[in-house]
Structure formats: C-alpha cells, structure tokens
Amino acid sequence: AQTVTQSQPEMSVQEAETVTLSCTYDTSENNYYLFWYKQPPSRQMILVIRQEAYKQQNATENRFSVNFQKAAKSFSLKISDSQLGDTAMYFCATDQTGANNLFFGTGTRLTVIP
Amino acid sequence: DTGVSQDPRHKITKRGQNVTFRCDPISEHNRLYWYRQTLGQGPEFLTYFQNEAQLEKSRLLSDRFSAERPKGSFSTLEIQRTEQGDSAMYLCASSSLSSTDTQYFGPGTRLTVL
C-alpha cells in the first residue's frame, strides 16, 4: 500500500527567505512519479513540480526545487525567495506508473510573512 | 480560460436528498478523475474515466455514489440519499493520454449536508 507522510502540519517563512517542506513516502514500486501541488486559500489545486523516480537529477521549476532521495523515500520541496503568493496548502503526492490515481499526503500549510 | 471547470461551486442540501455535480475537463483530455477532500486532509481518489469508460472505482465510492461520462467529455457525480458524512470538497481533474501522470484540477464543489 502507498503512504505519503507530511510531518509538518504548518510552517511559516519570512518573505524573500527560503523554506523546505518535507515529505516521505512508501511504495513497493520501482517506477513512479512524485508531485508537489499547491492549494491557495479558496482556490484550486495547482501543480508545482513533478519528479520521475527513475531520474536521479532533482527537478527544478524557477524558485521551486526538490531534493529527491530515492533510497530514503524522501521528496522535499524547497521554495527560494518566498513570496506572499506562495501562502497555501502544499500537498505531496505519488502516482505509480500505470496506476490511475494520485495518492496525497495530509498537507503542510505554509504562511509567508511580510 | 480552458481549464477544468466544476459546477456548482457550493451546494447545501438536507440529509436524504440527492445531489449532482458536473465537471468539464480540459478540451481533448481523455482521462477524468474524481476525488474527495475532507477538512484537513489531502484529496482521496474516488473514480476515473478514460473517454466514456469508467475504469476504476475506489472503495470510498459507496453504492449511493454514481459517476458518468456519457460522451467522453463532461462528467457527472451523483450522490443519492446524502448523509452528513458526505460533506466534503469534491474535486475533478483531467489528464491527456500523452501525459497521464500530470493531472489538472478544477476548483471543486463544496458540499454541505445539513
């Protein structure tokens, strides 16, 4: 069975600083994808970044980057130069290759403080 | 805007009533997914369609729930004899066959059962 654990229910960061959100997961599959989704207050879920498990290179999207440690089953999200618009719930999710659904963690509520 | 749309955005109903939600996926996306998100939790998979075929259903989808995608475009999710435990955000997502791992979410329908 898949599990995704986000151990930080809430975090805060000063504007322009860097913050790292943690995520660990468990899967018996070798091929899978990992995702970070952002859900701003009262707005829809937006894909932030995705990582393919067979790729060793960490994914990067502008100010967002991941630290993917496959052996440790860890997938943390680093947000650099935090902006007020980054305030949101962040969900880590996994999708086994060939499966047809995303499996989500319980989320981390991030607040960027001006 | 050609993103995923859902209607209605909010629904308040009395216990025992039937409700129906609609989802319009991104144009030409073959796959459509339904998730349920309760307060403080990440989304949980309910069911998915490839074109008009419903190919997978979660154990969460009790007999009171039914989903359809009659022409492979929009989808409806009906809940019969609603219960207070059905109160949640119902999210729809879609993906293309060329990139099935990346799902794009709609804004959700928030259901409150009194």
Side-chain angles (χ1 to χ4, degrees), chain A residues 33 35 37 39 42-47 50 52 89 91 95 98-107, chain B residues 4 9 31 33 35 37 40-45 48 56 91 99-108:
Chain A
Y33 295 89
F35 305 86
Y37 278 87
Q39 189 174 41
S42 301
R43 296 184 63 186
Q44 66 199 77
M45 193 96 63
I46 303 165
L47 178 65
R50 64 190 279 270
E52 296 166 86
M89 282 290 289
F91 291 98
D95 176 12
N100 301 301
N101 59 283
L102 292 170
F103 197 88
F104 288 84
T106 52
Chain B
V4 179
R9 296 290 305 274
R31 290 193 170 186
Y33 310 79
Y35 292 83
Q37 184 178 20
Q41 300 296 317
E44 297 172 290
F45 170 75
Y48 103 97
E56 188 170 340
L91 297 171
S99 182
T100 56
D101 58 281
T102 301
Q103 297 182 24
Y104 298 88
F105 283 81

Side-chain angles (χ1 to χ4, degrees), chain B residues 4 25-32 69 72 94-96 102 104:
Chain B
V4 179
I26 293 172
S27 250
E28 299 178 355
H29 272 193
N30 304 87
R31 290 193 170 186
L32 186 148
R69 195 183 182 197
S94 69
S95 67
S96 67
T102 301
Y104 298 88

Side-chain angles (χ1 to χ4, degrees), chain A residues 75-95:
Chain A
F75 183 62
S76 60
L77 174 70
K78 185 171 83 171
I79 305 174
S80 304
D81 185 26
S82 297
Q83 300 176 359
L84 296 179
D86 295 334
T87 292
M89 282 290 289
Y90 286 81
F91 291 98
C92 177
T94 180
D95 176 12

